Amino acid sequence: MAEPRQNLEAAPAARRVTLEDIARICGVSKITVSRALRKSPKVRPDVRERIEAAAREAGYRINLAARDLRLRNRRRVAIVVDLAPDEARPMSDPYPLVLLGGAVEALATAGYAAVVTTSDPALRDEASDTSGIILLGQGPDHHTVREYALLGLPLVVWGDDGDGIDRASGVVVIGSDNRQGGAQAARHLIERGRKRVAFLGDTRHAEMRARCDGCQAVLADHGLAPAIELHCELTAAAAEVAVEALLGRDPKVDAIFAGSDLMAAGAKRAAARAERDIAIVGYDDSPAAAAFGLTSISQDWAGGGKLLARALLELIAGQHPEPSSLPTRLVLRDT
């Protein structure tokens, strides 16, 4: 009787299928299996198809640890989103979703996988077992950057490098030109004849600080009073409460520049309830801006994500990419 075709169905459930197993099944060498699974042109198409079919049937999975050891490089990076899961600040907005998509696309093109996680300290190990980190957000007073810099991995951050703090930590910062965005918002409000502006946001965040500074510089150039800096959490509900209180105590306020569209939406609700004619500019040009008819500052999220990935890959390769700043543009709507 002919010996039955060798397979792995009787193998213990905990045993991992190896390249040697697939080679034995197909009657070829281990190197041929490896080349076939990498779709090398050195393997004939019919042989490659037979090996791929055998690998699928056997449940073969690439041993990433072994591959990384062989290549002396983990071909995966961590993308850390500095946001806590919160319905008030959805992760489905362009920040971080479109930014994330641009980064994943560029990484995949270069043959790298992405491990997506948040800045929750309990998940820090997920980022440490990679070749490098893309951090979406700097945290208040740069604290998140400092925490991840301690891991000693190549680190690229989406944010603002205007004060040089992150650069001093040895990381590369990629972001939009937040000062330009703030200046664009201020010019629009001035062109609408507004004279008493309030800035809404948490200026402990470097990007918010830069947006406020850009606005303040233009107001000063036009001989107007500095913007009132109204500190609040970066949600629509917090902004609504803060703006309602401001309008109740200051009848001269006629314009609000919000550091995000979510805050601008809350500001618009408060202004409507107070029956005040308040010009409002948001930031991000998100779906919320379109839904509420908000004039907003637009950022190139997809392009920014690709720049983040390319900069990180350069760091991993031992190169020294420079910080980059992308231009912003004003998108006019009802406010």
Side-chain angles (χ1 to χ4, degrees):
M1 179 181 295
E3 184 177 342
R5 179 178 180 272
Q6 188 172 1
N7 61 57
L8 300 170
E9 294 178 354
R15 183 177 180 276
R16 189 185 188 109
V17 181
T18 66
L19 286 177
E20 289 88 346
D21 293 325
I22 305 303
R24 190 168 59 252
I25 291 171
C26 297
V28 298
S29 68
K30 176 182 171 182
I31 189 62
T32 298
V33 174
S34 178
R35 287 171 175 168
L37 296 180
R38 287 186 284 112
K39 300 188 183 299
S40 168
K42 294 181 178 180
V43 181
R44 295 199 320 267
D46 61 313
V47 175
R48 184 177 70 244
E49 291 173 6
R50 181 161 58 90
I51 291 171
E52 289 174 341
R56 285 194 300 271
E57 182 182 344
Y60 173 76
R61 292 181 294 112
I62 296 174
N63 187 328
L64 293 175
R67 183 202 63 185
D68 292 344
L69 182 61
R70 184 174 67 254
L71 297 175
R72 296 183 180 179
N73 178 29
R74 296 180 181 90
R75 296 192 68 82
R76 58 188 180 277
V77 304
I79 302 179
V80 179
V81 183
D82 187 34
L83 278 177
D86 186 346
E87 291 183 1
R89 294 183 67 194
M91 291 190 181
S92 56
D93 271 353
Y95 175 82
L97 197 57
V98 178
L99 192 64
L100 180 65
V104 170
E105 179 182 332
L107 290 169
T109 300
Y112 277 73
V115 177
V116 181
T117 183
T118 70
S119 55
D120 184 336
L123 301 175
R124 193 70 47 81
D125 287 346
E126 299 299 323
S128 65
D129 190 28
T130 62
S131 287
I133 301 169
I134 293 173
L135 178 58
L136 305 186
Q138 294 163 289
D141 302 319
H142 305 261
H143 83 269
T144 308
V145 175
R146 292 190 176 96
E147 289 172 1
Y148 278 88
L150 292 175
L151 295 178
L153 294 170
L155 177 59
V156 177
V157 177
W158 176 263
D160 193 279
D161 190 43
D163 52 20
I165 291 179
D166 292 340
R167 190 184 307 170
S169 302
V171 304
V172 176
V173 180
I174 307 292
S176 293
D177 189 336
N178 292 286
R179 286 166 182 75
Q180 178 189 48
Q184 289 168 332
R187 291 190 192 100
H188 168 72
L189 295 171
I190 291 170
E191 287 169 2
R192 292 199 55 185
R194 306 305 164 124
K195 300 184 181 301
R196 190 60 174 139
V197 180
F199 175 81
L200 188 60
D202 183 350
T203 53
R204 294 177 303 160
H205 293 265
E207 292 170 286
M208 291 286 171
R209 179 73 262 165
R211 292 166 195 176
C212 182
D213 288 347
C215 175
Q216 297 284 28
V218 170
L219 293 175
D221 287 345
H222 285 76
L224 296 176
I228 300 167
E229 296 188 16
L230 194 60
H231 179 95
C232 79
E233 294 183 6
L234 312 182
T235 67
E240 187 172 355
V241 171
V243 171
E244 184 174 38
L246 173 67
L247 297 182
R249 66 176 181 267
D250 193 333
K252 293 185 177 181
V253 171
D254 57 6
I256 292 174
F257 172 33
S260 76
D261 289 334
L262 282 176
M263 290 188 290
K268 184 176 181 181
R269 285 198 295 262
R273 190 162 51 250
E275 298 182 342
R276 294 272 293 274
D277 175 24
I278 306 293
I280 300 172
V281 178
Y283 212 102
D284 292 339
D285 191 28
S286 67
F292 283 85
L294 296 168
T295 292
S296 185
I297 304 299
S298 177
Q299 305 186 70
D300 182 5
W301 295 116
K306 292 175 182 177
L307 274 179
L308 285 166
R310 291 169 189 155
L312 182 62
L313 294 176
E314 288 178 15
L315 280 177
I316 291 171
Q319 300 172 27
H320 303 283
E322 290 293 323
S324 298
S325 184
L326 288 76
T328 59
R329 63 186 179 88
L330 180 74
V331 179
L332 292 171
R333 294 191 178 91
D334 299 341
T335 60

